Amino acid sequence: MRISVIGCGYLGAVHAATLADLGHDVVGLDTDAGRIEQLAAAQAPFHEPGLPVLLEAGRRSGRLRFATDPAALAGADVHFLCVGTPQAKTTFEADLSHVVAAVEALRPHLRPGAVVVGKSTVPVGTAARLASLIADTGAVLAWNPEFLRQGSAVRDSLAPDRLVYGIPEGPYGEAARAMLDAVYAPLLEQGTPRLVTDYATAELIKTAANAFLALKISYINAVGEFCESAGADVVALSRALGHDARIGGTYLQAGAGFGGGCLPKDLRSFRAQAHQRGVEPLEELLSLADGINADARYRLAETAVRLCGGDIAGRRVTVLGAAFKPNTDDIRDSPALDIALQLAAQGATVTVSDPQAGPNAWLQYPHLDFEPDPLAALGGAELTVLLTEWAQFTTLDPAAAAAVVANPLMLDGRNALDPAAWRAAGWQFHAVGVGLAEAGAAPVLL
Ligand code: UDX
């Protein structure tokens, strides 16, 4: 099928490359000429495992092209909207200006029978509004939310948990459903569940899924705080909860909390929508989860200061991690950088290490020191704080690390290291949600 993908960011670039991999003829469109140039040369503009291979395969087969000119949209049967919906600058709401601009750019190139498929995460009611914008073109709108995670986006796209189609009732909706079935034929053949709903439900499925993941993380972080005060161990607790199939073990890792370009802003957009509709219990629940998440960052910074005897000014601190999670170079709303900045603001001399996100972070925060090599970053550190659980950090040799620091004091903000191994190598080891009460009471760096 001939397909266009509008917006080539973390979502659209991966979506375009996987659609070409599924056998379609794909053109990716973006207003950022630099990004399009890179993609056309089969270079991934951001770190995403597996993407370079797919881009190269698409370039070689000729099935994957990229363009900045909307004229390239003409001739496609299906148009995917993959532009961003960031949090608005002054409110909790989603900023829909990119989605509206994409539909405006697409409008003149739509032909009767074409299908416009929204993938961006949007507030309920957006799809209906966009459908009315294209009603006179004879094209039909469908909403097909995307659930991919950065860092495993290629795998998630080629083997999704489910496909959701939000379509209108009647023959137009049926036509859209048939087109989407053709687009995703290889995934449907491998047994991927497909759920067909109305627009509002499809929009809400995505928002509710992300908010639920955020709730789970905030729940375990709140329980982690309780564990600290009770001298209990949130890691063992979480592992035990995970054995209960009704609960499930994922998104129960206590630590620095959630960040990135999706969970925080989707939680806030849902909260704003609940407020607008007067659904107070949901608004309160989501707002509490957001507050617990902010608190997780603050409490970690506070613990770091306590471990330094109550004053971190002048201390040399190495922060392991800048990306909001491993396997990405994305620093949007990163807990690691947030905490690094809190410590720097209190006078600490902070060196940040990250295998991929250093350049992005340095561009935004040039006053922090960046060192990609973890052992070099650890040189002379009086306190080390692990905040993004990259394999490069979790596989560090504690003895080699102890040999380069000024003081072997570790605060594991992701519960990602083996405490026994680090203690055996001479480290004073503290982890979030694990018996921190006593450690907090007694500063260990005086
Ligand atoms: C998320 C959703 O998972 C995905 O379905 C949606 O399409 C986009 O938003 P992503 O933003 O890539 O994906 O990140 P995810 O892997 O979900 O992690 C989000 C944040 O939660 C990260 O900062 C991560 O470190 C944190 N997290 C995750 C925890 O703190 N604890 C956990 O147990 C799991």
Side-chain angles (χ1 to χ4, degrees):
M1 299 180 78
R2 285 170 305 170
I3 295 177
S4 87
V5 174
I6 306 172
C8 289
Y10 288 98
L11 163 61
V14 174
H15 191 55
T18 42
L19 288 174
D21 188 63
L22 294 180
H24 302 298
D25 186 0
V26 184
V27 59
L29 197 86
D30 202 289
T31 50
D32 182 336
R35 175 176 300 177
I36 287 299
E37 212 172 292
Q38 276 182 292
L39 287 165
Q43 285 163 14
F46 45 83
H47 179 73
E48 186 60 55
L51 180 60
V53 175
L54 283 193
L55 290 174
E56 181 55 29
R59 193 180 65 83
R60 279 173 191 246
S61 68
R63 285 203 304 268
L64 182 59
R65 294 173 298 118
F66 292 94
T68 51
D69 184 354
L73 299 170
D77 313 304
V78 183
H79 304 274
F80 282 97
L81 303 174
C82 293
V83 294
T85 52
Q87 185 180 331
K89 288 206 166 59
T90 52
T91 69
F92 288 143
E93 290 166 75
D95 171 2
L96 297 177
S97 58
H98 302 293
V99 182
V100 174
V103 173
E104 299 287 0
L106 173 61
R107 224 179 156 281
H109 306 286
L110 283 175
R111 55 175 195 222
V115 184
V116 179
V117 189
K119 285 200 92 63
S120 316
T121 307
V122 292
V124 172
T126 307
R129 188 175 141 208
L130 298 177
S132 69
L133 283 182
I134 60 163
D136 60 345
T137 62
V140 59
L141 184 100
W143 213 261
N144 169 224
E146 181 56 62
F147 301 97
L148 62 78
R149 290 161 298 177
Q150 289 169 234
S152 57
V154 170
R155 199 174 58 230
D156 290 348
S157 301
L158 292 173
D161 293 330
R162 73 291 211 191
L163 291 167
V164 173
Y165 304 171
I167 53 171
E169 275 182 12
Y172 278 99
E174 284 311 310
R177 182 214 297 246
M179 288 281 243
L180 282 172
D181 278 352
V183 170
Y184 293 124
L187 305 184
L188 295 171
E189 276 158 28
Q190 72 196 26
T192 307
R194 183 199 64 168
L195 296 102
V196 180
T197 70
D198 51 72
Y199 286 152
T201 308
E203 292 167 317
L204 201 51
I205 287 169
K206 173 61 195 280
T207 309
N210 270 4
F212 185 71
L213 297 175
L215 287 176
K216 258 187 115 174
I217 297 167
S218 279
Y219 175 71
I220 202 66
N221 279 332
V223 172
E225 184 178 1
F226 189 94
C227 286
E228 287 172 22
S229 81
D233 180 344
V234 77
V235 178
L237 178 143
S238 166
R239 202 172 296 138
L241 292 190
H243 284 293
D244 187 330
R246 295 169 302 171
I247 298 174
T250 58
Y251 288 82
L252 277 183
Q253 268 38 262
F258 59 83
C262 295
L263 256 48
K265 63 112 177 153
D266 290 350
L267 185 77
R268 289 173 200 144
S269 163
F270 201 13
R271 175 180 165 183
Q273 293 177 66
H275 177 75
Q276 281 155 9
R277 289 169 193 276
V279 188
E280 277 174 31
L282 181 62
E283 184 190 352
E284 281 171 26
L285 184 67
L286 300 173
S287 142
L288 213 56
D290 203 9
I292 291 169
N293 196 51
D295 231 40
R297 301 176 183 192
Y298 177 73
R299 287 193 307 110
L300 257 161
E302 216 178 38
T303 303
V305 173
R306 262 201 330 250
L307 290 174
C308 290
D311 184 5
I312 206 162
R315 298 294 193 181
R316 297 185 60 171
V317 179
T318 296
V319 167
L320 297 177
F324 82 96
K325 67 171 188 177
N327 302 319
T328 179
D329 58 4
D330 193 349
I331 58 160
R332 286 176 294 173
D333 207 345
S334 165
L337 277 177
D338 189 341
I339 293 163
L341 290 167
Q342 288 187 44
L343 299 181
Q346 294 184 56
T349 304
V350 180
T351 301
V352 179
S353 185
D354 193 287
Q356 292 291 338
N360 284 347
W362 180 78
L363 279 174
Q364 223 165 311
Y365 306 106
H367 65 291
L368 297 177
D369 283 332
F370 291 94
E371 169 53 60
D373 178 61
L375 279 181
L378 285 169
E382 293 170 273
L383 168 68
T384 304
V385 191
L386 175 83
L387 292 171
T388 313
E389 64 278 35
W390 284 94
Q392 285 88 335
F393 303 148
T394 58
T395 57
L396 266 177
D397 173 5
V404 296
V405 294
N407 185 52
L409 173 59
M410 169 65 78
L411 174 57
D412 180 355
R414 288 288 179 185
N415 286 309
L417 303 174
D418 175 3
W422 284 74
R423 286 195 179 113
W427 286 76
Q428 285 178 297
F429 187 93
H430 303 277
V432 68
V434 186
L436 272 171
E438 283 124 274
V444 294
L445 184 60
L446 290 169

